[in-house]
Amino acid sequence: MITLVRPPVIFPAMAVGNEATPCIGLAYIAGYLRDHGYDPFIIDGMVDALNEVWPLKKYPGFQCQGLRFSEIIDRIPKETKIIGIRSMFSGEWPVVRDLIFEIKKHFPNVIIVAGGEHITAMTEYSLRDCNVIDYCVIGEGERAFYHLCDALFKGNEIKKINALAYLDRNGEYYQTSSVTRINNINQIPWPYWPDGYLEKFWDAGKSFGIQTARDMPMMITRGCPYECTFCSNPFMYTRKYVVRDIDDIISEIKYYIKKYDITGIQLYDLTAVVKRDWMIELLRAVIDNKINVNWQFPSGTRSEALDKEVLELLKQVGTGYICYAPESGSGRSLRKMKKKIDLDKMTKSIHNAKKLGLTVRANIIIGFPFETRKDILKSIWYALKLTAKGVDDIQPYIYSPYPGTELFNELVNDGSIIVNDEYFFSLIGLNSDLTNFKPLVFTKNINAWELAIYRLLFTLFAYGISYLLKPSRFVRTMKNLYSKDNAETVFEARLKGIIHRKDVDKVGGPQRINH
């Protein structure tokens, strides 16, 4: 038997936004395995304890949301031979590592396989830091993990499988190949969602973007063709961007409407809107097939393809929410980070989206290593102008040096980053706790506290402007905070998450393993 595990979510005690969402990565892997004759058992460390929060006693100041380690271990079938564990975010690595060690104690003979963006970016480090991991899958997981499982069960040679890494008997690091992309993504089976799984997220009101009653996670593309220096995409997916067949997308949506009676589609793509003609063709197919659901683009997207015609079609098919990613208001910073966008066109697209009545979020990052105070103030001024234009959600994030990015490698090479648990936890606490006035920063001209002050004051000012200009939003927010099915901005969704959290130490939750 194969068991797939998603660890609980980790966040600082003062965090305001770390919501759990359905795990589409494990769902895709499960679907691929089932299509090839296996029946994996899925343990999502979130789904059965979506609002339960417990302290990490080993790491003061941090909490977990979801199942405790002991509860995850109790759910692993005794006959399990292979356990696949998801490790996406580097900030969570110390806790994921501890969970893996704990699993190995209880299942000493199982083969443990780790995958995800963190594992891909720091493969050898992860293997040495957690030496009970037998294999790491690099990049897209479906094909490599299936071939590995098949080889292990049938006794086939492991070295012939692409995108695997492990330590040999002598402790030497071995990697079979670099990241290899799945060229024809239309041959990847649809995600497999166990019975009752999605309903638990819907009943608890969890969502990636804004919330409707029954939001369905989907991906219609894979990868990103751009090379932003702060993004790990080139390491995880290379720069290859692939779109799905439109008929296959429409068929999947119709299946979800029939089976789940979905009310919305939330796209988990890195950047769904790149190819303008393909997007127009998809949206017209949605119209022709009379598909009536709310569409959301919660991942930051670019504006090149989001002209007036595309935005009008997005509105016509029922798009309720779109997130733009200008990242900076400084032309100098955009050039340094290789963002390659036209800020004027981005602003025009955002303005047109608001005129059409879409809920809009904009991502802004401050504190890049190369930035001056002037660059940062330009970004804040640009963000304030977007707020005045009606952008619903906007908050400046302090730059996070994630493994697998060009900037991260530069900072490691010049000694600015020492990779250890303190560094990992600094990532997860960097932008979820607005009261942290000593964040990890790498700007040479600006202190950490100054950046933190900019972030806090802007956040308060931006949302203050938003609610002052439209007082009806306050009434709407208060109403939505106590509604099971609705949240019209990410800000509202995250506030709802805070309200519904339960400290299981106070309500008698399991106490067997204290981490």
Side-chain angles (χ1 to χ4, degrees):
M1 174 174 277
I2 302 167
T3 297
L4 303 176
V5 176
R6 176 203 196 180
V9 171
I10 299 97
F11 59 94
M14 297 297 291
V16 295
N18 277 282
E19 277 305 310
T21 55
C23 189
I24 197 169
L26 287 191
Y28 262 113
I29 290 173
Y32 200 95
L33 290 172
R34 287 172 62 86
D35 193 62
H36 288 80
Y38 292 99
D39 187 16
F41 185 78
I42 299 175
I43 302 172
D44 186 328
M46 291 303 307
V47 74
D48 288 323
L50 282 168
N51 288 316
E52 294 186 7
V53 174
W54 46 277
L56 283 164
K57 295 181 181 179
K58 183 177 176 181
Y59 306 110
F62 290 89
Q63 296 177 312
C64 275
Q65 185 173 346
L67 295 174
R68 289 176 176 265
F69 290 3
S70 57
E71 296 175 290
I72 291 174
I73 291 166
D74 286 346
R75 284 164 166 75
I76 298 174
K78 302 303 179 186
E79 63 272 25
T80 294
K81 304 297 181 184
I82 301 171
I83 298 177
I85 298 179
R86 170 187 183 268
S87 180
M88 283 295 293
F89 305 109
S90 293
E92 299 179 339
W93 169 247
V95 177
V96 175
R97 177 197 62 209
D98 291 353
L99 172 61
I100 294 172
F101 275 124
E102 199 68 38
I103 289 173
K104 192 67 172 181
K105 286 181 186 178
H106 289 78
F107 292 86
N109 297 319
V110 301
I111 294 172
I112 294 180
V113 184
E117 288 217 23
H118 168 77
I119 295 296
T120 299
M122 304 199 71
T123 313
E124 183 174 0
Y125 178 93
S126 300
L127 283 165
R128 297 194 183 282
D129 197 38
C130 187
N131 59 9
V132 297
I133 296 175
D134 295 284
Y135 299 97
C136 286
V137 172
I138 305 168
E140 290 172 301
E142 295 95 339
R143 182 175 58 191
F145 185 65
Y146 156 66
H147 283 307
L148 174 61
C149 292
D150 215 40
L152 291 170
F153 282 122
K154 296 177 181 178
N156 296 335
E157 189 174 356
I158 302 295
K159 291 184 178 181
K160 292 183 179 180
I161 301 170
N162 287 329
L164 289 182
Y166 56 89
L167 299 179
D168 65 20
R169 293 180 180 178
N170 298 318
E172 296 296 321
Y173 176 74
Y174 184 83
Q175 184 172 318
T176 59
S177 74
S178 57
V179 172
T180 55
R181 290 294 307 277
I182 299 173
N183 292 321
N184 189 352
I185 62 173
N186 296 305
Q187 293 180 350
I188 300 174
W190 297 342
Y192 168 71
W193 304 104
D195 290 341
Y197 175 88
L198 291 167
E199 286 80 357
K200 292 178 181 178
F201 286 94
W202 296 332
D203 290 343
K206 304 299 182 183
S207 67
F208 183 16
I210 64 174
Q211 178 199 352
T212 67
R214 300 169 74 84
D215 292 311
M216 192 73 203
M218 277 191 67
M219 291 183 70
I220 59 176
T221 68
R222 283 207 182 183
C224 177
Y226 300 99
E227 53 181 353
C228 301
T229 59
F230 59 88
C231 180
S232 61
N233 165 72
F235 208 87
M236 179 74 180
Y237 288 102
T238 71
R239 290 177 59 198
K240 187 172 185 177
Y241 181 74
V242 187
V243 299
R244 288 176 56 188
D245 181 79
I246 289 174
D247 289 339
D248 190 47
I249 296 171
I250 298 296
S251 295
E252 185 178 357
I253 297 170
K254 287 182 175 180
Y255 172 77
Y256 292 146
I257 292 173
K258 182 177 180 180
K259 181 172 181 177
Y260 297 110
D261 190 26
I262 62 170
T263 57
I265 292 170
Q266 295 190 339
L267 296 178
Y268 283 40
D269 304 57
L270 286 169
T271 177
V273 188
V274 171
K275 296 185 176 182
R276 179 183 181 276
D277 292 344
W278 176 84
M279 179 56 64
I280 289 175
E281 185 181 353
L282 170 62
L283 296 174
R284 286 178 176 161
V286 170
I287 295 168
D288 292 343
N289 283 273
K290 297 180 172 59
I291 291 172
N292 183 25
V293 295
N294 180 285
W295 287 75
Q296 296 183 41
F297 296 75
S299 297
T301 192
R302 300 172 67 92
S303 61
E304 288 88 346
L306 288 172
D307 59 17
K308 188 176 181 181
E309 181 181 1
V310 175
L311 286 169
E312 287 175 346
L313 284 170
L314 285 170
K315 178 66 176 179
Q316 190 175 344
V317 301
T319 300
Y321 175 81
I322 188 165
C323 179
Y324 287 84
E327 314 299 7
S328 177
S330 164
R332 175 180 173 275
S333 292
L334 290 171
R335 290 189 295 274
K336 288 277 190 179
M337 68 177 80
K338 301 180 182 178
K339 182 68 180 179
K340 296 180 181 177
I341 63 167
D342 185 319
L343 207 56
D344 291 335
K345 289 183 179 179
M346 172 76 76
T347 307
K348 183 178 179 180
S349 181
I350 291 173
H351 183 61
N352 286 335
K354 285 307 306 174
K355 285 200 297 184
L356 287 167
L358 300 181
T359 298
V360 174
R361 177 183 176 90
N363 292 336
I364 295 290
I365 304 174
I366 59 175
F368 286 98
F370 46 75
E371 285 198 309
T372 64
R373 186 174 287 104
K374 183 178 180 180
D375 293 318
I376 292 167
L377 292 176
K378 280 185 176 180
S379 289
I380 292 174
W381 178 242
Y382 175 69
L384 287 172
K385 289 194 292 185
L386 293 181
T387 300
K389 288 181 180 290
V391 169
D392 302 86
D393 273 310
I394 189 165
Q395 173 192 328
Y397 292 102
I398 294 176
Y399 162 69
S400 300
Y402 284 108
T405 67
E406 183 178 326
L407 281 176
F408 169 82
N409 293 333
E410 291 177 4
L411 291 168
V412 169
N413 290 337
D414 69 17
S416 297
I417 290 178
I418 298 174
V419 179
N420 52 26
D421 284 4
E422 183 180 0
Y423 157 72
F424 292 129
F425 278 121
S426 72
L427 292 177
I428 205 166
L430 185 56
N431 286 301
S432 56
D433 179 5
L434 296 178
T435 66
N436 177 12
F437 292 101
K438 294 182 179 179
L440 177 73
V441 300
F442 296 92
T443 48
K444 295 179 173 58
N445 303 312
I446 303 173
N447 292 324
W449 65 267
E450 184 178 348
L451 279 177
I453 288 290
Y454 287 152
R455 175 181 61 183
L456 177 62
L457 291 179
F458 173 82
T459 302
L460 295 173
F461 192 60
Y463 282 105
I465 290 175
S466 175
Y467 281 84
L468 284 173
L469 290 177
K470 293 189 176 181
S472 60
R473 287 184 179 179
F474 180 78
V475 177
R476 181 201 68 196
T477 296
M478 295 307 296
K479 180 181 177 180
N480 287 340
L481 288 182
Y482 296 96
S483 163
K484 186 187 80 169
D485 295 336
N486 294 304
E488 296 181 45
T489 64
V490 173
F491 177 67
E492 290 179 358
R494 299 304 172 253
L495 285 178
K496 288 177 70 173
I498 294 172
I499 290 171
H500 294 293
R501 285 178 189 167
K502 295 182 295 185
D503 187 337
V504 295
D505 276 355
K506 294 180 180 179
V507 298
Q511 300 289 325
R512 280 178 293 167
I513 299 178
N514 293 320
H515 284 87

